Amino acid sequence: MLIDGGSQKVMSTRDAQKIASQRSLDLVIVQAKAQPPVARIMDWGKVKFEQQKKLRENKKKQVIVQTKEVRLSPVIGEGDFETRQKAATKFLSAGNKVKLNLRFRGRMMTHQDVGRKVLLKMADQLKDLANIDQMPQLLGRQMSLLLSPKPEVIKKVQSEKKSKIKENQDAKDED
């Protein structure tokens, strides 16, 4: 079966190929397993180009989320804690996920509750920017907690990205 524009005709493959070659178009099989097989006359290069164009547009709109790591210790000082908090805030503000890792050394393993408190304190400090994806979990000698940026933060990052793209396009147009 041949689909040509809006009409449908049943004809041999050779006849369909002749019609396609006369019009300088391609004969594309749409459904090979159907009885009779369905083919369409079209410009395959144009269709392929349109598909690639859609993929590029979707890729531009895609947000790539990376996971950044912040290392802590159960006996961390207040100044170091604030430094790590600032780093985590910067990562979350950029739209990235943050994995808080806390490593236990030596006899610290007996005080896992202290480590859990440090992680939850950090998560509490960042609650305006992030949601907890994964509660503190112990893997070997490391306890980790996963934070992801809140939807409002992601929207803000996306709008900033769009405005930068627009500014770049405007600058190119001026040149």
Side-chain angles (χ1 to χ4, degrees):
M1 177 179 287
L2 176 69
I3 300 173
D4 183 19
S7 62
Q8 298 178 358
K9 305 172 194 167
V10 177
M11 63 174 58
S12 69
T13 307
R14 286 185 182 163
D15 293 339
Q17 285 176 336
K18 284 181 185 176
I19 293 171
S21 65
Q22 287 172 356
R23 296 183 188 171
S24 300
L25 295 173
D26 302 310
L27 181 66
V28 180
I29 296 176
V30 180
Q31 290 182 339
K33 294 183 180 181
Q35 285 299 325
V38 179
R40 172 175 263 152
I41 295 178
M42 63 173 71
D43 185 0
W44 180 245
K46 183 177 180 181
V47 171
K48 203 171 168 182
F49 174 75
E50 292 295 327
Q51 289 173 347
Q52 289 174 345
K53 191 174 177 182
K54 283 182 185 178
L55 283 174
R56 282 193 300 268
E57 288 297 320
N58 290 339
K59 210 172 196 180
K60 283 182 185 176
K61 294 175 186 176
Q62 187 178 20
V63 176
I64 298 172
V65 178
Q66 294 179 332
T67 303
K68 302 286 188 171
E69 183 178 331
V70 176
R71 291 186 181 174
L72 302 167
S73 168
V75 290
I76 191 166
E78 195 61 36
D80 288 341
F81 184 85
E82 289 174 8
T83 303
R84 302 303 194 298
Q85 180 185 344
K86 286 178 186 175
T89 303
K90 184 174 115 182
F91 295 148
L92 289 167
S93 299
N96 297 314
K97 288 186 176 188
V98 174
K99 184 175 185 178
L100 301 174
N101 271 342
L102 188 131
R103 172 170 254 150
F104 294 101
R105 296 178 184 206
R107 293 183 185 174
M108 290 183 200
M109 278 298 290
T110 57
H111 301 287
Q112 293 175 14
D113 56 328
V114 174
R116 182 172 275 111
K117 285 180 186 176
V118 170
L119 288 175
L120 292 175
K121 181 181 174 186
M122 179 70 81
D124 186 51
Q125 296 285 326
L126 299 170
K127 68 182 174 190
D128 57 327
L129 290 175
N131 296 323
I132 297 175
D133 277 358
Q134 179 184 344
M135 290 303 284
Q137 194 173 35
L138 186 67
L139 297 168
R141 290 191 158 271
Q142 284 191 352
M143 188 176 286
S144 61
L145 178 124
L146 188 64
L147 300 172
S148 64
K150 287 191 172 181
E152 307 91 59
V153 175
I154 293 173
K155 286 179 184 176
K156 183 180 172 186
V157 169
Q158 287 176 344
S159 65
E160 288 173 0
K161 198 179 235 184
K162 285 180 184 177
S163 65
K164 283 183 182 178
I165 291 171
K166 214 174 208 180
E167 288 173 10
N168 289 341
Q169 288 177 348
D170 290 342
K172 286 181 183 177
D173 291 342
E174 289 176 6
D175 291 344

